Structures are given as structure tokens and as C-alpha cells.
């Protein structure tokens, strides 16, 4: 059975006409009859090519300000009829329905209109009705109809009709149908998510049309993919492609540094999604040097991120370290030239872009969705619960430590001094173990913990942690509070001249 079909008629109704002209001219050369509406009809006529207005087919004008143009049985009958079905063939003749072999559609730009900050009235008018119906009809009847669902497929269609003299194979039509349902499902998901932006319906609809195959997943035996648009987030200046693990670390780095966006020069070094070095200083070079001092061993092969320009002086220091990725909002030309000396080193310029306000992760046979933890602890929410209040310097360090603690794997304890990460205990099953890990690590890198501060991602049910901290010289503590035994830790601090503040906000990170 020959399933190759030659295009003899085409309905074209598109928003974006970029690249449409050569298709129309090629189809005209192949004696294809055109049907069209509105702006697309005018576009074809301006090429000097005849076109049949849809109104002539339907005997009905475009109405309601253009909201209803193609929605008619004579249009959809021409697309949906089964050419090997005797009843369909008979009804086509009975009702004088013209055969439509090719449908070319490009939908109103709903997502772009939303992103532009347009009014709700303008957004609603960009919900395409006729176009989306044409796409679904053409895709459903792929056995007989070619459907081109967006401007992205114009070039592929032109190649096929040029090479095959206006003919298409069943396999090609099915490929176009697959692309069509991808377009229609994504479009509907975008519209639903716009209407459901306040989560009135507990429904998860994720649709990403831009995906790339990664070298592998977390390990070489696992397949890996990234769905998103990295080009919107970063300009890549150098290096190999980002891997699955790189992307996880970059995500952690970007989220952490968002806490320090408006602070003095701040530098962070991350390894396996956790910060191993962070410092805020008068210059970026000093911030990098002191961040590296937090754990120069773990920094090897890490991800580096800055909240400001990386200049040549900073780049000269960085260039002495093997690192996978460097991220900053800008670089000096000299810094880029130097950093590019390592051809595999990934250098990213981070752009201003709005990130998702929710997080999604697979869980069991479904998914967990939650609002992002967008609370950054500030001085306004601090409640001093001890007799001794923290000094101004201690408050700065407590908030600095709290920002890092929020982005460190639970259970965690973060130790900081003079806006420098001394050490952290990460991902421990016991908060006491997390504290002991942090103290041991800080001591191994010769940090003087006398006068340092401690941040915890959750409350202390017992006074053991503040006692261990006090014995190491730590003078102030920040924690959410909320334990029925809070008073035990408060009493210990009062008896040992330690300051403690509560935030009332827990920052678990599982």
C-alpha cells in the first residue's frame, strides 16, 4: 500500500511569518491551492500568489473581532476526512467540502505575552482557539494530512517538499503529528499554569520544550537530560558542556549566592551542593582568598561563584586552583583571557532572570512540589532570648552564617567569624555530630573559634550543642527556636555568657 501523499491544497494561518515565503513560493510552483485568513491571506497575496479566503469556503465572515475564523465544518471536514473511508468521501462531495492536505499554523505567542508583563486582557486575547484546533485536527489525521504546528518546523517542511516534489511519507507525517501534540500540550499547560499561578488547584503540569541530552546522569551508567533554557540564564564563555552533576552544583551555587546579591563582594566555593568556603570582603580578591581558606582541600574540582565582577587580581588567584565551573555576573577582559587558559574550565556569566518559585522532585511513584524557601533571615526578625545580647559584629556574622546554613544539607551546623565560613557539618543524622564535624574541620584548618558564631537549621531539643560550642569558644548562636525544651539551651547560654537569638524560621534542606 502506497502511503506517500502529494500536497495539492494547503490551509495557512500563522502568527509568525518568518521563513514562510519560500514555502509558499515552492508550493505555488507545485500547483498547490492555498486557503487562508486575515494577515496570512494578505501576506500570500502580496507575494503575487492567488489564495482562497476561508470565508469563501465557509460562506461565513470572520466574526467577533477575529475570534472566530476557521471554526467551521467545511474547514475541519477538509482536514479530518479519511480518504480511504467511503462514507467520509461521500459526505465531502455531498457538502462540497474542499480537501485540505497541508495545515500550517503558528499560534499566538501566549507565553511571550505573559512574560512581557502585559495586561490580563491582552494575555487572554493571546489564547489561540482556532489555531490550536487546527493543530489537533491535522495531527489526529496524520494518515492523510500534513500538520506544521509552529515556525520551528518551517525549514523542515521546505526541505521535504523541495526534495520530494511536494510529497510526504506516512512516517514524516507522523513525525510532524508528534511535534504538533508537543506544541498543543505545552501551549495548554502554559495557559493552565497562568490561571493556576496561585495554586487554586493542586495539579502539577510541567512542560519543557527545550531539552538537551547530557553526557550521562549522576554516574556514567545513567542516562541524563536537562530540560530548560540555559541560554536565558548564562552566557558561556569557555569550557566543556555542563554535566548532570555540574548542573546540580551550579543550581546550588546560584541559590546560595542569591542570599548575598546586594552585599559587599562575596565569593563562595561549593562541592557536592554544599558550600565549603564563603567570605564577604572589601574586594573580590580578598573574598576569594578567604573563601578558599575555609577548605582548600574540598575546593579542588569545585564550583566557584561571585556576586560581582571577577577582575584580573581575583582571576590570578583562581587560576592556581583546579575548578570545574566559575560563575559571576561579569568579568574583566583580562580576567577572561587568563581564565580561558584552561580550555575545559567552564566560565559562565550569570544573567538577571526570574527563577521558578516552586521546587519539584520525584518521590515514590509521584512527585513532591513545594514553594521555594524564599525567606532570608534578617535583623528585623531576630529575637534575643538570652540575658546577653549579641554585639553588632556578632549579628552580622550570625546572619552571614544563617544564609549559608539555609543552603546546606540537613542536619547542619555552620560556624562563621568575621563574615567567613570557618566550617560546617553537613547532612548528619545527629545535630551533635554535625557540630562536632564542623569544629573538627575548623580546627584542622587552624581557625580560631573564640568569638565565632554558630547557626543551626533547626532548634536544639537539648543543651548539648550549645555546651559543645561554648567549650570551643563560640560566643553567639542563631537558631529558629520552637522546642518545648528551648529553656534548657537558653539557661545554659545565660550561665555561660553566650548570646542566642531565635528567628522563628526553620531552614531544613533535605
Amino acid at each position: 500500500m502506497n502511503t506517500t501523499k502529494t500536497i495539492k491544497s494547503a490551509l495557512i494561518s500563522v502568527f509568525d511569518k518568518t521563513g514562510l515565503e519560500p514555502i509558499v513560493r515552492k508550493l505555488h510552483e507545485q500547483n498547490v491551492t492555498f486557503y487562508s485568513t486575515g494577515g496570512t491571506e494578505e501576506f500570500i497575496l502580496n507575494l503575487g500568489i492567488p489564495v482562497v479566503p476561508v470565508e469563501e469556503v465557509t460562506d461565513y465572515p470572520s466574526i467577533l473581532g477575529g475570534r472566530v475564523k476557521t471554526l467551521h465544518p467545511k474547514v475541519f471536514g477538509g482536514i479530518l476526512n479519511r480518504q480511504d473511508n467511503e462514507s467520509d468521501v461521500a459526505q465531502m462531495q455531498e457538502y462540497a467540502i474542499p480537501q485540505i492536505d497541508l495545515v500550517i499554523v503558528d499560534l499566538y505567542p501566549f507565553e511571550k505575552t505573559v512574560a512581557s508583563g502585559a495586561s490580563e486582557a491582552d494575555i487572554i486575547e493571546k489564547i489561540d482557539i482556532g489555531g490550536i484546533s487546527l493543530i489537533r485536527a491535522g495531527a489526529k489525521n496524520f494518515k492523510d494530512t500534513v500538520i506544521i504546528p509552529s515556525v520551528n518546523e518551517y525549514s523542515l517542511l521546505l526541505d521535504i517538499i523541495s526534495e520530494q516534489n511536494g510529497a510526504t511519507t506516512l512516517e514524516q507525517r507522523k513525525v510532524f503529528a508528534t511535534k504538533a501534540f508537543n506544541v498543543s500540550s505545552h501551549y495548554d499547560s502554559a495557559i493552565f499554569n497562568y490561571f493556576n499561578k496561585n495554586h487554586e488547584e493542586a495539579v502539577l503540569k510541567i512542560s519543557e520544550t527545550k531539552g538537551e541530552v547530557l553526557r550521562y546522569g549522576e554516574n556514567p551508567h545513567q542516562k541524563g537530560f536537562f530540560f530548560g533554557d540555559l541560554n536565558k540564564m548564562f552566557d558561556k564563555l569557555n569550557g566543556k558542556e555542563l554535566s548532570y552533576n555540574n548542573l546540580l552544583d551550579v543550581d546550588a551555587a546560584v541559590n546560595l549566592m542569591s542570599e548575598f546579591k546586594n552585599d559587599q563582594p562575596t565569593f563562595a566555593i561549593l562541592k557536592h551542593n554544599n558550600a565549603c568556603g564563603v567570605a564577604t570582603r572589601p574586594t573580590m580578591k580578598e573574598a576569594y582568598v578567604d573563601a578558599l581558606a575555609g577548605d582548600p582541600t574540598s575546593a579542588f574540582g569545585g564550583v566557584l561563584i561571585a556576586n560581582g565582577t571577577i577582575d584580573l587580581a581575583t582571576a590570578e588567584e583562581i587560576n592556581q586552583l583546579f575548578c570545574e565551573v566559575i560563575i559571576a555576573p561579569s568579568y574583566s577582559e583580562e580576567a577572561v583571557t587568563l581564565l580561558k587558559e584552561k580550555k575545559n574550565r567552564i566560565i559562565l556569566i550569570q544573567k538577571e532572570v526570574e527563577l521558578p518559585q516552586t521546587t519539584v522532585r520525584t518521590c515514590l511513584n509521584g512527585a513532591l512540589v513545594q514553594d521555594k524557601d524564599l525567606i532570608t533571615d534578617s535583623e528585623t526578625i531576630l529575637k534575643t532570648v538570652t540575658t546577653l545580647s549579641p554585639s553588632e559584629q556578632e549579628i552580622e556574622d550570625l546572619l552571614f552564617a544563617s544564609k549559608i546554613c539555609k543552603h546546606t544539607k540537613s542536619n547542619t551546623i555552620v560556624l562563621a567569624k568575621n563574615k567567613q565560613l570557618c566550617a560546617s557539618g553537613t547532612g548528619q543524622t545527629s545535630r551533635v555530630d554535625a557540630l562536632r564535624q564542623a569544629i573538627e574541620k575548623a580546627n584542622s584548618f587552624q581557625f580560631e573559634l573564640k568569638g565565632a558564631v554558630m547557626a543551626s537549621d533547626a532548634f536544639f531539643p537539648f543543651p548539648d550543642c550549645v555546651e559543645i560550642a561554648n567549650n570551643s569558644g563560640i560566643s553567639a548562636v542563631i537558631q529558629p527556636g520552637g522546642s518545648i525544651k528551648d529553656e534548657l539551651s537558653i539557661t545554659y547560654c545565660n550561665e555561660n555568657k553566650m548570646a542566642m537569638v531565635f528567628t522563628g524560621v526553620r531552614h531544613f534542606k533535605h
Side-chain angles (χ1 to χ4, degrees):
M1 180 179 176
N2 184 12
T3 58
T4 298
K5 301 268 184 183
T6 299
I7 298 169
K8 296 178 182 177
S9 59
L11 171 63
I12 307 178
S13 180
V14 302
F15 180 86
D16 192 338
K17 300 166 183 66
T18 307
L20 184 61
E21 179 179 347
I23 294 174
V24 173
R25 291 195 182 280
K26 176 58 67 175
L27 291 171
H28 180 57
E29 288 175 15
Q30 296 167 348
N31 298 314
V32 170
T33 300
F34 294 105
Y35 301 94
S36 192
T37 62
T40 308
E41 177 189 343
E42 184 180 351
F43 175 84
I44 297 172
L45 287 172
N46 287 338
L47 297 178
I49 294 172
V51 56
V52 179
V54 166
E55 292 93 326
E56 287 187 15
V57 176
T58 63
D59 292 324
Y60 223 93
S62 171
I63 62 172
L64 307 181
R67 280 188 165 197
V68 180
K69 291 179 285 191
T70 57
L71 297 167
H72 194 280
K74 281 197 171 183
V75 174
F76 282 86
I79 298 169
L80 283 164
N81 73 92
R82 295 157 291 187
Q83 295 176 20
D84 59 356
N85 183 291
E86 290 184 9
S87 176
D88 285 9
V89 172
Q91 287 187 325
M92 291 283 285
Q93 294 173 347
E94 179 182 358
Y95 297 109
I97 299 174
Q99 178 67 45
I100 298 174
D101 303 315
L102 166 66
V103 179
I104 303 178
V105 178
D106 186 69
L107 298 170
Y108 294 151
F110 178 82
E111 288 180 282
K112 286 183 179 178
T113 304
V114 172
S116 73
S119 68
E120 181 164 280
D122 288 338
I123 290 170
I124 297 304
E125 288 308 309
K126 288 298 185 290
I127 298 176
D128 207 312
I129 303 300
I132 204 78
S133 302
L134 292 170
I135 287 174
R136 291 178 62 83
K140 176 176 179 175
N141 202 34
F142 69 89
K143 285 181 66 179
D144 295 308
T145 308
V146 182
I147 175 63
I148 303 301
S150 79
V151 65
N152 298 327
E153 311 309 327
Y154 289 1
S155 61
L156 178 56
L157 173 66
L158 182 59
D159 288 344
I160 289 174
I161 61 175
S162 299
E163 294 170 7
Q164 298 171 192
N165 196 28
T168 61
T169 65
L170 178 62
E171 182 180 355
Q172 288 167 338
R173 294 193 296 276
K174 193 168 185 178
V175 167
F176 281 128
T178 303
K179 293 175 181 291
F181 285 122
N182 182 28
V183 168
S184 66
S185 62
H186 178 78
Y187 197 76
D188 284 340
S189 292
I191 294 169
F192 170 79
N193 287 331
Y194 169 76
F195 278 92
N196 197 46
K197 55 192 171 187
N198 294 322
H199 305 295
E200 283 101 358
E201 295 286 332
V203 174
L204 174 63
K205 289 189 185 296
I206 300 174
S207 179
E208 290 288 349
T209 57
K210 293 189 176 182
E212 60 181 284
V213 179
L214 303 175
R215 294 195 301 273
Y216 50 80
E218 211 161 1
N219 298 290
H221 62 276
Q222 296 169 265
K223 290 181 180 179
F225 306 87
F226 175 75
F227 295 96
D229 190 353
L230 287 175
N231 292 327
K232 278 188 177 179
M233 277 212 66
F234 304 109
D235 285 329
K236 185 162 167 282
L237 305 182
N238 189 69
K240 58 189 179 181
E241 294 304 312
L242 287 159
S243 69
Y244 184 99
N245 292 332
N246 287 155
L247 288 166
L248 288 174
D249 283 330
V250 167
D251 177 68
V254 166
N255 286 322
L256 171 61
M257 195 51 71
S258 68
E259 307 285 348
F260 299 91
K261 183 178 178 180
N262 300 315
D263 291 8
Q264 284 188 300
T266 301
F267 212 103
I269 304 171
L270 289 88
K271 197 72 173 288
H272 301 302
N273 305 166
N274 290 313
C276 58
V278 187
T280 298
R281 293 292 182 262
T283 69
M284 195 60 74
K285 175 185 174 181
E286 292 172 279
Y288 169 74
V289 169
D290 286 351
L292 179 64
D295 187 345
T297 302
S298 295
F300 182 86
V303 169
L304 281 55
I305 188 166
N307 70 345
T309 301
I310 292 181
D311 55 16
L312 179 59
T314 309
E316 287 173 339
E317 295 292 335
I318 293 172
N319 208 40
Q320 300 174 45
L321 174 73
F322 168 72
C323 60
E324 290 274 353
V325 186
I326 305 171
I327 309 164
S330 59
Y331 303 78
S332 70
E333 288 186 21
E334 299 86 355
V336 172
T337 300
L338 178 63
L339 294 172
K340 279 185 174 180
E341 288 181 357
K342 305 286 176 63
K343 69 176 185 177
N344 286 332
R345 179 187 282 154
I346 300 166
I347 304 173
L348 302 176
I349 295 177
Q350 184 179 346
K351 303 177 188 177
E352 286 284 344
V353 63
E354 185 176 346
L355 294 174
Q357 301 294 294
T358 55
T359 64
V360 182
R361 63 194 293 183
T362 58
C363 180
L364 302 175
N365 62 345
L368 287 170
V369 181
Q370 67 170 349
D371 294 335
K372 264 190 174 179
D373 182 357
L374 297 175
I375 295 177
T376 298
D377 294 340
S378 63
E379 190 169 356
T380 58
I381 69 169
L382 299 184
K383 177 184 177 183
T384 301
V385 294
T386 50
T387 304
L388 180 67
S389 296
S391 67
E392 185 176 334
Q393 179 62 56
E394 285 174 331
I395 289 174
E396 288 186 0
D397 284 344
L398 287 167
L399 293 173
F400 175 87
S402 171
K403 292 177 181 180
I404 301 169
C405 191
K406 171 183 168 182
H407 294 275
T408 306
K409 198 79 168 174
S410 299
N411 284 324
T412 186
I413 292 289
V414 169
L415 307 180
K417 185 177 181 181
N418 299 326
K419 292 186 179 178
Q420 180 183 21
L421 173 62
C422 300
S424 57
T426 63
Q428 298 303 302
T429 53
S430 158
R431 200 161 302 280
V432 170
D433 287 345
L435 174 56
R436 285 175 173 155
Q437 181 190 64
I439 292 171
E440 182 180 349
K441 191 172 183 180
N443 290 335
S444 71
F445 291 111
Q446 300 179 329
F447 279 100
E448 172 54 69
L449 290 181
K450 185 176 181 180
V453 305
M454 174 174 73
S456 172
D457 61 333
F459 60 63
F460 299 119
F462 304 102
D464 44 10
C465 280
V466 289
E467 181 179 355
I468 295 168
N470 176 58
N471 291 337
S472 295
I474 291 162
S475 60
V477 179
I478 185 170
Q479 58 136 317
S483 170
I484 59 173
K485 296 183 178 180
D486 277 342
E487 202 58 43
L488 295 176
S489 295
I490 294 170
T491 299
Y492 181 90
C493 288
N494 285 334
E495 290 174 350
N496 290 274
K497 295 183 173 56
M498 294 177 73
M500 180 183 286
V501 296
F502 284 3
T503 65
V505 181
R506 190 182 74 182
H507 292 297
F508 269 163
K509 185 172 183 284
H510 285 97

